[in-house]
Every structure is written in structure tokens, then in C-alpha cells.
Amino acid sequence: MKLFGLDEQPRKRRATDRRRCAAFGLWIGAATPRRQVVEKEQGFALLAVLLLLMLALTLGAGTLLYTLLDLKSAQHYETGNQAFAAAEAGLLDVINTIDTRGVVNFKTDVIDSHIISTLSTAVSGFPNVTYQVTGLVSGTDPATTGVVTVTGNALLSAQRVIQVNVKRGDFVAGPGALHLSNDSAVGSFSGNSMTIDGNNWLVTDLTPTAVLDQTWPARPAISTRNDTVTTQIVTALAGQGTITGLESTPSVMTTAAASTADANRFINDILTANGAPSGCNQNNNKDYPVGNVICVPQTQGHKGNAESWGTMTNPQVTYVTDPNAKIAGGSVTSTGAGILIFGSNTIQFNGGFVFCGWVLFQNPNPNGGISVGGNPSIYGTVWSPLNAFDSNGNITIKYSHNCLGEADSAGSGGGNNLPHPLQITSWSEP
């Protein structure tokens, strides 16, 4: 038994050793799975890094895209504003072009006259920013209202459209005491006794009783359409009398007001509005009416009847068609008020003549076509294509706002004879 017991101990130790080895083997064997887990975790980290890189790239691309969109949006906003500013500039150009001339009848003076260009026009200093008049039509009343549409264009196909309704506004002022409507000065001033005054004079009767009235600002004594004519007139006026008014003496200023063509349209408008669309076409020896126009085919050497060419209480439209008109001969003083149109080649003023209103010489001969032998006095404004005054007498032309009111209300005009500026009544972006 003892021996058997001795023999048994080694067996138990070996069993224990085997268990220990087995246990050790199990521990050693477990090391291999631990290394496998680390390798798997390292692969997962690489995938995570790749996903983070992809996310960062996506966010970067998105940020870049939105940045580009913001830049494009800012560019479109800027070019859109440029297009809007161009449309506004075009509108101002249209209104200014019309207002330098004025409007008697919107349809004939603006639409039918083609004074407004419909070509694309670049804004000064910005060749890629343009405006274009894309609509110019009459309104509900063709004579007094209209609709103007201007389109502005800029880069990136930016486009803005402005549409305005306009109407003929109130009368403001004439261009000057004497307005020369030609774009070139052909003719001359002769004589040293003339007075052309652009200060405002208030006329209460045709005696005349006139007082200086500063309620209305002074106008140029002589207005022209360009600087070249202004320079020529200043030279021609040396020693020719008293030429005073707005700014320095001689008061001659460029206003770019109505041209001769404009003046002729205004005359046709006035005749049509006063019932004489075909003008004066009879060859009588005496004055005769056509509608509310008094036609004078032949002057009789003087006009002694104070009411024949209008009064302060009843101004009228008078059209002298006599090609060699002779006004106020002898000692008789002729008077008139309203609108006086000379379609003559020559006009001779002898004796006294007083007129309150608007006097238009359509076609005076450049060689002394307006001869002054007496002392005519005109209050209001005088329009002539030429500076053709042969003045051995003493002609006086004085600007008068209230006499222009007489002209505006003459005949059946009712305040619509004179050229008026435009007034914007509404605007929109259609």
C-alpha cells in the first residue's frame, strides 16, 4: 500500500503538471485571439479615418459650392442694380429730352416727332450697361398723357424694366426773352437801340404799364440751342444795345430748348387745337376767322383796333400770312395779346406796337428779315429761327410770365397752347 502510495504521488504530480500545462496552454492559446482583435480594431480605425476624410471633403465641397453661389448671388444682385440704374438713367434721359422742348400735344410732339431714340444706349463710362426705350405710347388722352417704358441691361443677362405714366404738367417758364431756335446762327443784329431783358416784368394793361416782378426768377435775355451759336451771338451783339437778364451781360445762354422743327410742330398744334388744322388758306384783303384763329392775309400798314389782335381780357391766336407784313405805320399804336404768329419772309415794325404774349417768327429772311423802324414793345417771349433784326428803331423785348399766361389761355387753348413740361404720375416694374 505504501509503495502503492509512493507510486501514486508522482502520478498526481504529473496530473497536476498536465493540468498546469494545460492551463498554461490555454493561456498561451488565448494570446492568439487577443492579437486578432487588435488587428480587427486597426482595420476599423482606417475605415473611420476614410469616412471622416470623405465627410470633410463633402463639407468642403458644400462650403465651396455655397461660397460660389453666394458670389454669383452677389454678382447678380450687383448687375441687377446696375440694370435698374440704367433703366432709371434712360427714363431721366427721355424726360429731359422732352422737357427741354416742352409739350403742347404729347402724341404729335413726342410720339410722331420721333425725338426719342429707341436704340440701345450705353451708360457713360459703363459700356456693358445699357438702356433702351422699349415703349412710347399715348395715354387715355393722346394730347396730354402717355406711357414710357425703359429697359435696362447689364452683365450676366441682368434686365430691369421701368414703366411710367406721364401727363402734361403746369406751365413753368419760357426759355428766354428771345429764343433762337436754329442750330446755327445765320443772320445779324443791326442797330444799337434794342433792349432785350430776361428779368420778369408784370404787365397789367397794354399802355403798357409794366413793373419789374421778382416773384418769378429771371431768364436769359437770349437763349440758344448750343454753345457755338451762343458764342456767335455774343460776338454779334457787341455795342448792339442793352442785353440783360440771368447771369452776366450780355445775357446769352445755351438752353437746348425747342428747335425750329419743334416750334413749327407747336404752331400746328395750336392751330389744330383752336379749330384751324389747315391753317389760314384764304387770300382775302381783310382779317378773317378760322375757328378761334384770326387770320391776317394782308396787313394794312397799321392796326389801330386794340381788339383786333386780342386784349388782356380776351387774348387770341393771330396768324399773319402776309409775306411782307407791315405793322403799326404812322403814329397809331397797335396792341394785342395772346399768340402772334408771323409766317412772313419780312416783317416791318413802324410806329408803336405793343404785344403781351408769345410772338413766333416762322421764316424771317436772314438779311434784315425783321426790320424795326419804330418802337415795338413785346412782353412775354419771342421765338425766331434767326437773329435777323435790322433795328434802326428801338425794339424792346422783355420776358413776362403773366403775358405767357395770356398766350397759354388764348383762343380755345384754355391753358394748353404753350409747351409744358411732363409730370410723372405713376411708375411700376412690369
Side-chain angles (χ1 to χ4, degrees):
M1 294 295 294
K2 189 174 182 178
L3 288 173
F4 178 81
L6 289 172
D7 292 336
E8 190 177 8
Q9 289 300 323
R11 290 168 53 190
K12 290 181 180 181
R13 283 195 299 269
R14 285 195 298 272
T16 300
D17 291 338
R18 284 195 299 270
R19 286 195 297 270
R20 288 177 177 174
C21 288
F24 180 76
L26 287 174
W27 179 80
I28 295 299
T32 301
R34 175 64 59 90
R35 286 194 300 270
Q36 292 175 354
V37 171
V38 171
E39 290 175 357
K40 290 180 179 179
E41 287 178 351
Q42 290 174 345
F44 179 78
L46 180 59
L47 178 61
V49 169
L50 290 175
L51 290 175
L52 286 174
L53 287 174
M54 292 178 65
L55 179 60
L57 289 174
T58 302
L59 290 175
T63 302
L64 179 61
L65 176 62
Y66 279 106
T67 300
L68 291 175
L69 289 175
D70 285 342
L71 289 174
K72 289 291 185 182
S73 178
Q75 288 176 333
H76 280 285
Y77 179 78
E78 180 180 356
T79 56
N81 284 340
Q82 289 175 347
F84 183 79
E88 283 188 318
L91 177 62
L92 290 175
D93 187 24
V94 170
I95 299 299
N96 184 62
T97 299
I98 296 172
D99 282 352
T100 54
R101 294 164 165 82
V103 175
V104 174
N105 183 296
F106 187 86
K107 185 177 185 304
T108 58
D109 301 336
V110 178
I111 298 176
D112 296 344
S113 67
H114 304 291
I115 63 172
I116 302 301
S117 172
T118 57
L119 299 177
S120 179
T121 302
V123 176
S124 179
F126 299 90
N128 294 319
V129 181
T130 63
Y131 62 83
Q132 184 175 15
V133 177
T134 51
L136 185 63
V137 296
S138 297
T140 54
D141 181 358
T144 61
T145 62
V147 182
V148 181
T149 304
V150 182
T151 301
N153 297 282
L155 293 173
L156 301 178
S157 301
Q159 187 176 88
R160 299 288 289 272
V161 180
I162 297 178
Q163 186 175 85
V164 297
N165 292 312
V166 295
K167 73 173 184 178
R168 190 170 176 268
D170 297 330
F171 176 71
V172 177
L178 171 62
H179 175 59
L180 302 179
S181 59
N182 262 9
D183 289 330
S184 60
V186 180
S188 64
F189 293 101
S190 176
N192 57 9
S193 300
M194 69 178 62
T195 298
I196 305 177
D197 189 345
N199 294 293
N200 183 54
W201 291 82
L202 177 64
V203 178
T204 56
D205 58 54
L206 295 176
T207 307
T209 301
V211 295
L212 190 62
D213 177 15
Q214 295 182 341
T215 302
W216 294 94
R219 308 298 296 168
I222 301 176
S223 58
T224 69
R225 282 182 47 80
N226 58 62
D227 292 338
T228 300
V229 175
T230 295
T231 301
Q232 292 172 344
I233 297 302
V234 170
T235 301
L237 282 170
Q240 298 294 316
T242 302
I243 315 297
T244 187
L246 184 64
E247 294 192 353
S248 60
T249 300
S251 175
V252 183
M253 296 182 63
T254 302
T255 63
S259 66
T260 300
D262 296 325
N264 287 329
R265 278 194 298 271
F266 295 156
I267 290 171
N268 291 332
D269 292 339
I270 292 166
L271 296 176
T272 300
N274 285 277
S278 300
C280 299
N281 50 20
Q282 298 180 28
N283 189 24
N284 296 345
N285 291 329
K286 296 182 179 180
D287 300 355
Y288 63 94
V290 177
N292 288 302
V293 177
I294 300 300
C295 297
V296 183
Q298 182 176 342
T299 56
Q300 304 299 314
H302 69 272
K303 282 290 176 183
N305 186 345
E307 294 184 358
S308 61
W309 288 359
T311 67
M312 297 290 288
T313 57
N314 184 29
Q316 67 182 33
V317 178
T318 304
Y319 192 5
V320 179
T321 61
D322 188 342
N324 297 289
K326 183 179 180 181
I327 310 301
S331 61
V332 177
T333 297
S334 178
T335 60
I339 297 175
L340 178 57
I341 304 166
F342 287 100
S344 316
N345 294 322
T346 62
I347 305 97
Q348 182 178 354
F349 292 98
N350 293 316
F353 175 70
V354 178
F355 194 84
C356 175
W358 187 15
V359 178
L360 298 102
F361 298 105
Q362 279 190 286
N363 188 33
N365 190 310
N367 299 315
I370 303 171
S371 178
V372 182
N375 300 291
S377 296
I378 300 171
Y379 293 87
T381 187
V382 174
W383 287 18
S384 175
L386 308 173
N387 52 313
F389 286 91
D390 181 7
S391 181
N392 294 320
N394 179 21
I395 186 170
T396 297
I397 302 173
K398 293 185 175 183
Y399 182 81
S400 172
H401 192 273
N402 82 290
C403 282
L404 291 181
E406 295 288 321
D408 209 22
S409 61
S412 57
N416 292 312
N417 290 318
L418 289 175
H420 291 208
L422 286 180
Q423 178 182 350
I424 296 176
T425 57
S426 65
W427 78 278
S428 61
E429 288 190 77

